[in-house]
Amino acid sequence: MKLIKLTAISAAVLASTAALAAEPVVVVDDNKAVAYEAEPVAVAYEAEPAYAYNADAGVVRNTTGAVAGGTKTFFQTAINPAAVSAEVGTLGYGANIAWGLNENTELQAGWAGGDVAELFGGDIDVDDVNYDVDADFSNPYLGVQLRPAANWFTVGAGIIVPDNDIDVTSNPESNGIYEINDVKYIGEDVGQLSGSIEHRNKLAPYATIGFRPNITENFGLFGELGAAYLGKTNATVRAADPTKPVEIVGSDVGTTAGKVAAEAQKELESENWLEWMPIVKVGATYRF
């Protein structure tokens, strides 16, 4: 009889709730009190993710934090970026890769380039000489993109390594005259002047502000405004026939096409064209 009672009591204990199971259970058998302590019931808890997607705040996934903890190598982090983007703007056409340092900060590496002269009108005026511009830009860059308010507003800064080829070809005025430093030359005598512009800075710091709204969990758009300091310029201007005599309008003294080109070079270099390079870009982002 005792065995039957004990068996029934044990079954009741095992079927009790988790709350009751945490308390000792007292069993009375033949006027003898015996205390049994139930085993605690295992409860599973699901950990919250460290970084959850937030469409309003626009937080980013941390892809580098685990490196410091030693659970990921730098190579594993490098091949697992937080996002990739395509862009078009005044620096050219390009793309970048971003790695999330935390929910508000991304490290970016990218490139932009190509023929973007048409974005600046395709020509420039220096003094009274008009030049057609042919540009082949190459602008690799490394920067940091911040979301200071943890929303769509962004602030960026970094370094560009500019390698931009800028070629120029002169056009005389409609009356066939070149006017350089207030001196007028017969355009037919001078012929066509051609040259190039090179910025002196080998590293160009830049800063931008922008917006990066997330459209879905994976896709987003962005736009940025800012500037890069490319520095002063070195210019070269050449005449097709440097030794050809050139008539100076209103003077009995003549010169040569080579000397006219030298004067044009001084004017072009003093212009410091795009010393401050405007940055205007738009693009789309895919987040992993």
Side-chain angles (χ1 to χ4, degrees), residues 56-57 104 145-156 208-213:
D56 295 324
N104 295 334
Q145 194 74 228
L146 303 174
R147 295 177 186 257
N151 60 14
W152 55 264
F153 175 71
T154 62
V155 176
T208 62
I209 59 173
F211 65 95
R212 287 179 174 264

Side-chain angles (χ1 to χ4, degrees), residues 39 53 73 95 99 102 143 156-157 159 170 188 202 235 253 264 288:
E39 291 294 325
Y53 171 73
T73 66
W99 294 267
N102 55 49
I159 292 292
S170 67
E188 187 177 351
K202 302 306 179 185
V253 179
F288 296 100

